[in-house]
Amino acid sequence: MKIAPSILSADFINLQRDVAALEAGGADLLHIDVMDGHFVPNLAYGPQVVAALRPVTTLPLDVHLMVAQPENFIEMFAKAGADTLSIHYESTPHIYHALQMIRQLGVNASVVINPGTPVAALSEVLPLVQQVLVMTVNPGFGGQQFLPASIQKIEQLVQLRQATPTLDFDIEVDGGINAQTIQQVAAAGANVFVAGSFVFEANSPKQQIQTLRDLIE
Ligand code: DX5
Ligand code: ZN
């Protein structure tokens, strides 16, 4: 069970301070949301932010690329220090090739599906990935409400993984994860939990992370 706070809800002017608080607070990964204003209707960060964070934390950097044609950016983010690169199934006609590129760079490959994309769409790429990210909101903004239809998708992924011994991936969830929703997704089989607004909404990220952990461990 891994808690991955999203820095989308951090105080950007004090990013190093907030990242240090997440690390001291027991975060397992740092989730970094990259947005290009095309694939999603919002803008957030470039590779410089990932490169700037790399030397100031020992947490693995879980980079979520919400960009069109991610193959144009994979190498940049790998060089910047990403440990995992998540790319959307919907973001390129060449998802297979893009995931191969990530693996060839020695980075963990993760494929993401939007709320409107069925698990069945992933059948050909599951053997390539170390992680599947099931979006539990429409991507683009923090602070949205969890979409319960995603629970069934997590269960389907667990079934596929059980039925095929060669498949080996984590199941990450992202969007609307808080004290009310985390138990449902954990029970369905998710094991990596992104949380943005919940972690930062109170004064103590440490307390918020602990609250989430206590609910699932
Ligand atoms: C949304 C991003 C999320 C976001 C989650 O597009 O991918 O990572 O930061 O924020 P919350 O936890 O507030 O839903
Ligand atoms: Zn994200």
Side-chain angles (χ1 to χ4, degrees):
M1 296 292 190
K2 291 180 180 163
I3 308 284
S6 164
I7 58 165
L8 194 59
S9 298
D11 176 359
F12 294 150
I13 212 79
N14 290 300
L15 194 52
Q16 187 172 359
R17 179 202 68 189
D18 279 6
V19 166
L22 296 172
E23 190 163 352
D28 297 293
L29 306 169
L30 208 58
H31 185 82
I32 304 175
D33 289 301
V34 176
M35 307 186 191
D36 70 347
H38 294 277
F39 183 69
V40 289
N42 197 1
L43 291 161
Y45 325 135
Q48 299 91 333
V49 174
V50 175
L53 285 170
R54 182 64 292 171
V56 302
T57 178
T58 58
L59 293 175
L61 304 179
D62 179 40
V63 178
H64 178 191
L65 294 182
M66 286 165 274
V67 304
Q69 291 179 298
E71 48 272 51
N72 294 335
F73 302 101
I74 285 167
E75 199 176 340
M76 256 182 239
F77 281 96
K79 283 192 175 143
D83 294 279
T84 299
L85 276 172
S86 292
I87 58 173
H88 276 256
Y89 171 81
E90 308 84 2
S91 66
T92 170
H94 301 293
I95 188 70
Y96 195 95
H97 181 233
L99 290 165
Q100 284 179 315
M101 285 174 69
I102 296 174
R103 292 185 61 125
Q104 278 160 13
L105 289 160
V107 175
N108 291 323
S110 167
V111 67
V112 194
I113 46 172
N114 275 335
T117 303
V119 165
L122 297 179
S123 60
E124 301 308 310
V125 299
L126 287 179
L128 288 178
V129 299
Q130 279 89 37
Q131 178 173 276
V132 178
L133 167 48
V134 176
M135 288 308 299
T136 43
V137 297
N138 291 304
F141 299 91
Q144 301 181 80
Q145 223 188 342
F146 174 78
L147 296 170
S150 41
I151 291 172
Q152 227 186 355
K153 292 189 190 180
I154 299 165
E155 290 167 348
Q156 286 168 9
L157 283 165
V158 170
Q159 278 166 16
L160 278 170
R161 195 176 53 189
Q162 269 168 0
T164 320
T166 49
L167 297 180
D168 184 16
F169 50 78
D170 288 323
I171 301 175
E172 183 175 47
V173 284
D174 183 8
I177 302 302
N178 56 38
Q180 278 71 50
T181 56
I182 195 166
Q183 283 174 309
Q184 307 164 53
V185 283
N191 68 306
V192 185
F193 307 88
V194 177
S197 50
F198 182 78
V199 166
F200 286 100
E201 77 191 5
N203 283 334
S204 165
K206 181 176 185 157
Q207 186 53 51
Q208 297 295 93
I209 292 168
Q210 195 56 48
T211 299
L212 293 178
R213 209 183 284 289
D214 288 345
L215 287 164
I216 53 173
E217 282 177 354

